[in-house]
Amino acid sequence: MYQRILVAVDGSQSASLAVDQAIILAKATGAEVKALFVVDDNDLFLDLKYSDPTDLLEKVMTYGQATLTRTVDRFRAAGIPGVTHLIERTNTLGLVADTIAAEADKWKADLIVLGTHGRRGFRRTVMGSVSEGVIRRTCLPVLLTRSEVER
């Protein structure tokens, strides 16, 4: 069935639930899991009058790496093979969904797992915009997890 599962993470509760589902499926199928964090650099440069965008970008990348470290620790604790990947820039300016779908294709994933309430910056206030975009851009199966905690 599934041999390569890509799970997109962003540190949110819904992404944590997506990791839970990826682990369950990987254990059941013997799949390898790849956790992906995409830095949405486009939103970092909006409305920054008194902030250093380079410093902010560094902080987001540090946050992303910490998120990936926690995720791979969960993979190890569950006894499943897993890797991580941080993408510093979106493939298409500001479009995280394009980048996730492209990475799934590049890695030859069988399934994409992601949360529906990810936090993606100022312009991503519409719930589900990234997950909806991934569904539109891929032919792969997509498993969405929903968190009632984040509203």
Side-chain angles (χ1 to χ4, degrees), residues 97 116 120 123-134 136-137:
T116 60
R120 304 301 329 162
R123 292 189 302 145
R124 303 275 192 255
T125 56
V126 178
M127 196 177 311
S129 62
V130 172
S131 57
E132 195 175 314
V134 170
R136 286 190 189 127
R137 288 165 177 83

Side-chain angles (χ1 to χ4, degrees), residues 40-60:
D40 189 359
D41 59 334
N42 191 48
D43 289 344
L44 295 177
F45 301 102
L46 295 177
D47 240 0
L48 294 178
K49 295 176 185 167
Y50 306 106
S51 298
D52 178 8
T54 305
D55 183 50
L56 185 55
L57 183 60
E58 258 182 56
K59 286 179 181 176
V60 173

Side-chain angles (χ1 to χ4, degrees), residues 1 3 17 19 21 30 58 61 64 67 84 96 100-101 110 118:
M1 190 171 200
Q3 294 303 304
L17 294 172
V19 171
Q21 291 302 308
E58 258 182 56
M61 290 191 328
T67 300
T84 64
V96 174
I100 292 169
D110 302 312

Side-chain angles (χ1 to χ4, degrees), residues 129-150:
S129 62
V130 172
S131 57
E132 195 175 314
V134 170
I135 290 169
R136 286 190 189 127
R137 288 165 177 83
T138 188
C139 294
L140 294 171
V142 178
L143 173 63
L144 300 178
T145 60
R146 182 176 173 155
S147 171
E148 291 299 325
V149 176
E150 294 178 26

